[in-house]
Amino acid sequence: MVSEHGSDRPRSPAAGTDPLGDPFLRTCFAVPVPPATFLRRQRLTEHLGQAPDTALTLVNGCAGAGKTLLAADWAARLGRPVAWFTVDACGQAPGVFWAYLLEALRASGADELKDIDCPADAGAVDHGLLTRLAARLNDRDRPVIVVLDAYDRVTAPEITDQLGFVLHHAGRGLRLVLVTRTEPTLPLHRCRADGTLTEIRDAELAFTPEEAAALLELHGLRLGHDAVRALVGRTRGWAAGLRLCALAARQSSDPERYLKEFEAGQSTIADFLLAEVLERQPPATQDLLLRVSVLDRFCPDLADALTGRRDAGPVLAELHRANAFVEYLGHAWYRLHPLFAEILKAHLGVRLPGLETALHHRAAQWLRHAGPLPHTLTHGAAAGDWEFTARALVDDLALGQFFTGLRSGELDELFARMPPGTTGPEADLVRAARELAGPDPDHACVHLEHARRALARAGPGRAAARLGCALLDTHAARLAGAPDRAEHAARTARELRRDLPAGLLDRHPELPALLRTHLGSARLWAGRFTDARAVLSETAAGCDAATALPREEALALLALVDFLTGWPTRAERGALAALADAERFSLAEPAGLDLVHLVLAAVAVDRDELDDAQALLDRAASVRPVPPDPVTAASRVIAQARLHLARGRTEAALETAGSAVPAAVASPWAEDHTALVVSAAHLAEGRPEAAVEVLEGLEGAVDREAACTVAAARAHLAAGDPGAALHLLDRLPADGHRGPAVTVRALLVRAEAAGRQGDLTTAHRLATRALADARRERLRRPLLEAGPWLRRLLRADVLQGALRNGPAARPDARVRTPPHTARQTALVVEELSGRERDVLRRLARMMSTEEIAADLFVSVNTVKTHLKSAYRKLGVNRRSDAVHRARELRLL
């Protein structure tokens, strides 16, 4: 347009007006006043306090994150002028934007800028004006602080370029604070590298639980710590969400319950997010957000599967950049803010009724081939396609996760909703797994049989389902006490492994671990200790979280094998390893811990720690309310009966020992140890002939417990027939791997028999040897069972000291087992000489053999002789054990 003076240059606007001739909206220059319930957060105020020292400060967060109030409170308390400009529709065109910014600068007291004319053209800015502005700012002695609020509303890219130019050339004369929802296109990387950028982003703007509690108190609400943490978790510390929740809760008769249970889709939060976030998006983006609201997490390809389009990638990236409540998880995966997701899902039902089920079905189908199994199952169940959901679980070989403790609760809860009418072998396998993992495994066999018949009708293929069936068969056979069935099922499972897709089994190490554990337990029940140890040791050697529970069960079963074969210390060590493993992976009272406590209780009985034994039995009974397998049931019966016997309650011992343990076949070791209890009860009541009769046919029989032979010999001895006793003991195989719990009792029987035959020298030698072996294992029970003849045979102080003081406190007393009330000391065969004590004292100071010899003015060989003698008397084989034992005995 040509002016009347013949020039096309626009005239400068009149004072107080913008390039369009409209008066300035003074509200754009007003610093907002925080409400009375505003919470000043010191950590953010201190961070923002760096703004006067850096050229650019960025306060970037989502709608309602508290950005503006934070900046306004900081500006009001700064103690110096601040040029505040809230960008609105008036700041969209470059000329209008700069006119408003210049007016804000003048209003803040920047008098040297008064002669810089406002832009005359609303759509353009003369470069000379920007140059003059930058130069004037650069000449200032004290920088001017400019806050541009709602900067995300700037749409013209040239404005950001012009702002970058002025910021760069203004030098130390300008400190710019941008309050925005989106990432500006300014050269932030350069500012970071120069150290001239202060950043406060969404994560820092989020309220901590402590800050949320303080904010709620400002609204008159006092909540418990857990309730506040739950609210912060649900809102992700979002400021507007917390404030809106607090305002609504004040109107409720039960504020704490409201904050715990409020429906986001029916709250004022919904109005805020729909208006501030959803409705600001174009229709196609709104449709995408509504559809992905059914997902916990999503990637562009999955979002495209739900929308039927191919543009999700750039749309999601832009939503995240714009802080539109779309969170980036890394590796191209996103999720919605939980409250936003709730609101969108509720809005989906209104805007697109009936679509949610179809979206879940599409998501399940896509995830089945490209996503995590848990999400596949969740969406399959939400779509109501239970046959698909059960098959997805079984085909992925994840059936074993019902028993590993990691996801068992989630799976049980998910498939508890599966309707009874759902058909297919996979559905029956899932039902069988839930029954086997639950309190009533008897019904599992019916579902297993249905699955087996369906798979037979289906013909070849479906190897994963057949392998799952074999796993559950092995488990069921273990619970039923049917070793042959377990062997057959395990053999079938091994044959099926070659038919699986490559790499599938590698993703599920828990499945072979479970198979080996079930098989090992079945073999143990059958008395095949060596075969059981072979498969259980393989599982116990694992190290990852997926196999933690079967590994803990395997360790417990191995500990039981050690106890049954007479190695109490080794059994205790294995049981403690199982406890440590359970604690390492946070397995809160998992399945195998009942057996762990039973093993420790049995060891405690052998050591005459009867109160501890009872506490451990009580703990075992409280571990879980599910029926134990026969191994655990028999172990509980035997341990309880032995405890009764040790306390002198023979009738209770006999009654407990007679308790039936349901099983398809009898267990030889369970029968043997029951017979041992019954025999010992008869002996305690003075009926040696009855004791002999109980053990008749067991002593010396092939593959039966050596302990039965020793007990039978003891019964014959009590009946007055030492020759028969010695004859039985002589029949024991010389190469038997009997532990000290058996050999100590055998030595004591031989010693008593020798004494009765008049050979006191042999009797004393055998009894002394038994005492030394007992001391190494901290065994007291065999000494008490031996009777008064042992006291008459040995020095009173040696035996009485052993029986009075007992074993040292277990090092594991702090781990799931009751602490001892008094420190106990170990047994000692003979007193240490003065020189031996001298050597031990120097050993405790970590002196070498040569150093000890030099310090005592003796030869190295003499020191070695003293050490060898001290080791023998203390019942140890190593230097460290000698020092430890000597300290227990208060010799050091």
Side-chain angles (χ1 to χ4, degrees):
M1 175 179 176
V2 179
S3 68
E4 59 181 335
H5 300 290
S7 173
D8 59 354
R9 180 178 178 181
R11 291 176 295 178
S12 296
T17 63
D18 64 19
L20 297 173
D22 298 324
F24 288 115
L25 299 174
R26 294 295 165 182
T27 53
C28 292
F29 308 132
V31 178
V33 178
T37 54
F38 171 75
L39 177 69
R40 182 174 297 112
R41 293 184 279 170
Q42 190 64 26
R43 62 183 178 87
L44 295 180
T45 302
E46 291 177 357
H47 194 172
L48 196 53
Q50 301 172 15
D53 300 321
T54 53
L56 177 62
T57 296
L58 187 66
V59 184
N60 187 353
C62 63
K67 308 178 297 296
T68 297
L69 291 180
L70 169 65
D73 179 66
W74 167 78
R77 294 166 53 85
L78 190 59
R80 55 189 287 190
V82 173
W84 185 284
F85 171 29
T86 299
V87 179
D88 207 332
C90 57
Q92 301 299 324
V96 177
F97 173 87
W98 284 103
Y100 265 85
L101 182 52
L102 284 166
E103 186 67 17
L105 286 165
R106 296 187 187 100
S108 69
D111 295 335
E112 67 273 23
L113 304 180
K114 288 183 177 180
D115 60 344
I116 297 180
D117 293 334
C118 286
D121 186 349
V125 177
D126 181 61
H127 188 70
L129 182 150
L130 301 177
T131 302
R132 292 193 300 277
L133 174 61
R136 295 286 180 85
L137 291 172
N138 190 45
D139 290 339
R140 286 179 60 91
D141 295 330
R142 192 180 190 189
V144 63
I145 297 175
V146 176
V147 178
L148 296 182
D149 187 26
Y151 187 75
D152 48 276
R153 295 176 182 172
V154 172
T155 56
E158 57 267 33
I159 293 179
T160 300
D161 294 339
Q162 295 159 358
L163 191 62
F165 171 83
V166 172
L167 179 63
H168 177 67
H169 291 284
R172 296 187 55 82
L174 174 63
R175 296 293 181 257
L176 181 61
V177 180
L178 296 184
V179 181
T180 177
R181 295 185 188 181
T182 63
E183 190 84 350
T185 56
L186 289 167
L188 300 181
H189 62 285
R190 189 182 306 157
C191 295
R192 289 193 190 100
D194 295 342
T196 58
L197 176 64
T198 298
E199 295 181 87
I200 298 178
R201 294 185 176 271
D202 239 353
E204 192 175 355
L205 289 166
F207 275 67
T208 65
E210 293 74 21
E211 291 169 346
L215 178 67
L216 292 171
E217 284 192 23
L218 288 174
H219 288 78
L221 302 171
R222 289 182 177 271
L223 270 67
H225 180 70
D226 291 342
V228 173
R229 291 190 71 86
L231 180 62
V232 170
R234 189 175 178 191
T235 61
R236 299 274 167 81
W238 177 44
L242 289 169
R243 289 193 181 94
L244 291 171
C245 284
L247 291 170
R250 288 200 304 188
Q251 309 302 318
S252 171
S253 59
D254 189 346
E256 185 162 347
R257 182 176 180 182
Y258 172 83
L259 292 173
K260 182 179 179 181
E261 300 177 357
F262 73 91
E263 296 182 30
Q266 306 299 319
S267 67
T268 53
I269 297 175
D271 299 334
F272 181 94
L273 288 178
L274 290 174
E276 290 291 327
V277 182
L278 182 65
E279 292 172 6
R280 288 192 175 200
Q281 307 300 331
T285 301
Q286 292 186 34
D287 181 72
L288 182 147
L289 287 169
L290 289 169
R291 289 171 183 263
V292 299
S293 67
V294 303
L295 303 167
D296 290 331
R297 57 200 300 267
F298 45 88
C299 64
D301 289 344
L302 177 54
D304 284 337
L306 268 58
T307 62
R309 304 195 305 269
R310 290 291 180 267
D311 61 347
V315 171
L316 291 173
E318 175 57 26
L319 287 169
H320 171 64
R321 193 189 73 81
N323 284 315
F325 290 79
V326 175
E327 303 170 4
Y328 184 62
L329 302 177
H331 304 289
W333 284 85
Y334 298 84
R335 69 180 175 192
L336 297 174
H337 185 288
L339 287 179
F340 194 36
E342 285 184 60
I343 292 163
L344 289 175
K345 197 169 181 180
H347 202 58
L348 172 68
V350 175
R351 186 179 291 190
L352 301 168
L355 183 61
E356 184 176 342
T357 298
L359 292 173
H360 281 299
H361 189 268
R362 287 188 209 173
Q365 294 290 341
W366 187 92
L367 288 164
R368 181 69 189 94
H369 302 288
L373 177 66
H375 294 180
T376 302
L377 302 179
T378 298
H379 292 291
D385 193 345
W386 288 102
E387 289 184 27
F388 164 87
T389 306
R391 186 159 188 175
L393 178 78
V394 173
D395 285 353
D396 197 72
L397 292 187
L399 202 61
Q401 292 180 3
F402 273 104
F403 310 98
T404 59
L406 297 176
R407 297 192 57 246
S408 54
E410 297 174 21
L411 289 175
D412 183 71
E413 183 179 351
L414 178 74
F415 283 100
R417 309 199 316 260
M418 185 168 66
T422 306
T423 59
E426 289 82 7
D428 281 316
L429 288 175
V430 169
R431 293 188 183 101
R434 292 189 66 240
E435 297 285 2
L436 287 171
D440 189 11
D442 294 338
H443 293 89
C445 294
V446 175
H447 300 304
L448 271 176
E449 185 59 29
H450 289 164
R452 197 178 293 109
R453 290 177 181 175
L455 289 171
R457 290 193 299 270
R462 303 182 90 156
R466 297 179 192 277
L467 182 57
C469 190
L471 167 67
L472 300 184
D473 275 337
T474 311
H475 192 170
R478 168 192 178 178
L479 295 180
D484 290 343
R485 278 172 46 198
E487 292 284 356
H488 175 75
R491 189 164 50 250
T492 301
R494 286 193 294 270
E495 294 169 354
L496 286 167
R497 293 175 64 163
R498 62 175 178 264
D499 299 329
L500 296 171
L504 179 58
L505 192 58
D506 294 337
R507 299 203 303 270
H508 291 283
E510 75 278 358
L511 195 143
L514 287 166
L515 277 166
R516 289 191 298 263
T517 303
H518 298 329
L519 181 60
S521 178
R523 288 177 175 177
L524 194 160
W525 179 249
R528 296 165 53 195
F529 293 160
T530 301
D531 293 339
R533 190 184 292 277
V535 292
L536 292 171
S537 297
E538 193 175 350
T539 297
C543 61
D544 56 79
T547 61
L549 197 144
R551 181 170 60 254
E552 178 258 315
E553 284 197 273
L555 287 168
L557 291 165
L558 287 169
L560 178 61
V561 172
D562 285 330
F563 178 80
L564 294 175
T565 51
W567 298 91
T569 298
R570 191 187 296 172
E572 181 187 49
R573 192 180 303 121
L576 294 177
L579 284 175
D581 210 52
E583 291 199 347
R584 175 187 171 196
F585 290 99
S586 301
L587 300 177
E589 300 291 12
L593 285 191
D594 47 358
L595 184 57
V596 168
H597 296 314
L598 291 173
V599 171
L600 291 173
V603 172
V605 170
D606 264 352
R607 292 173 177 168
D608 203 42
E609 300 164 1
L610 304 186
D611 290 341
D612 284 357
Q614 185 60 64
L616 287 161
L617 284 170
D618 293 341
R619 176 64 67 87
S622 67
V623 166
R624 59 172 182 166
V626 287
D629 62 0
V631 169
T632 304
S635 299
R636 178 176 287 115
V637 167
I638 293 165
Q640 185 66 68
R642 291 180 71 242
L643 178 58
H644 284 316
L645 195 60
R647 291 189 182 278
R649 303 168 184 165
T650 52
E651 290 187 11
L654 289 169
E655 182 180 354
T656 301
S659 302
V661 176
V665 300
S667 171
W669 63 263
E671 289 184 337
D672 289 353
H673 281 267
T674 301
L676 288 174
V677 171
V678 174
S679 167
H682 286 315
L683 282 181
E685 294 188 345
R687 298 191 296 270
E689 292 81 6
V692 170
E693 185 179 347
V694 168
L695 296 170
E696 212 165 42
L698 295 181
E699 70 274 7
V702 178
D703 293 332
R704 302 312 288 243
E705 291 284 333
C708 290
T709 300
V710 175
R714 182 183 169 211
H716 280 291
L717 189 61
D721 191 353
L726 291 172
H727 177 69
L728 282 174
L729 294 177
D730 290 340
R731 290 170 54 190
L732 286 173
D735 59 348
H737 299 289
R738 298 179 296 277
V742 178
T743 58
V744 167
R745 289 178 168 88
L747 285 169
L748 290 172
V749 172
R750 284 186 180 276
E752 185 178 2
R756 290 194 182 192
Q757 292 177 338
D759 188 353
L760 294 180
T761 301
T762 300
H764 190 280
R765 176 176 55 80
L766 292 172
T768 301
R769 181 180 162 193
L771 194 61
D773 290 348
R775 173 168 39 78
R776 276 192 292 271
E777 290 286 329
R778 310 204 304 273
L779 296 171
R780 293 183 67 211
R781 210 55 236 162
L783 306 180
L784 294 169
E785 292 168 355
W789 70 268
L790 185 60
R791 187 176 294 106
R792 293 193 298 269
L793 181 67
L794 296 176
R795 279 171 44 194
D797 60 328
V798 173
L799 186 59
Q800 288 298 331
L803 295 177
R804 181 177 63 254
N805 295 324
R810 286 195 302 271
D812 59 288
R814 65 186 182 279
V815 185
R816 297 180 183 264
T817 57
H820 285 278
T821 57
R823 183 163 183 83
Q824 299 169 311
T825 56
L827 307 180
V828 61
V829 176
E830 297 176 33
E831 293 294 328
L832 272 67
S833 68
R835 185 57 85 180
E836 288 166 353
R837 292 193 184 202
D838 290 339
V839 171
L840 278 176
R841 291 189 189 99
R842 286 157 177 79
L843 208 63
R845 298 203 297 266
M846 305 298 291
M847 295 174 67
S848 68
T849 306
E850 291 76 11
E851 290 170 334
I852 294 172
D855 197 50
L856 293 176
F857 300 101
V858 297
S859 69
V860 171
N861 286 335
T862 300
V863 173
K864 290 181 178 178
T865 300
H866 288 315
L867 282 176
K868 184 176 180 181
S869 177
Y871 288 173
R872 178 182 61 80
K873 292 178 180 180
L874 294 173
V876 298
N877 298 307
R878 296 184 303 177
R879 296 165 63 100
S880 59
D881 291 341
V883 173
H884 179 71
R885 185 63 55 84
R887 283 174 174 157
E888 287 181 340
L889 293 166
R890 297 183 176 87
L891 299 177
L892 295 177

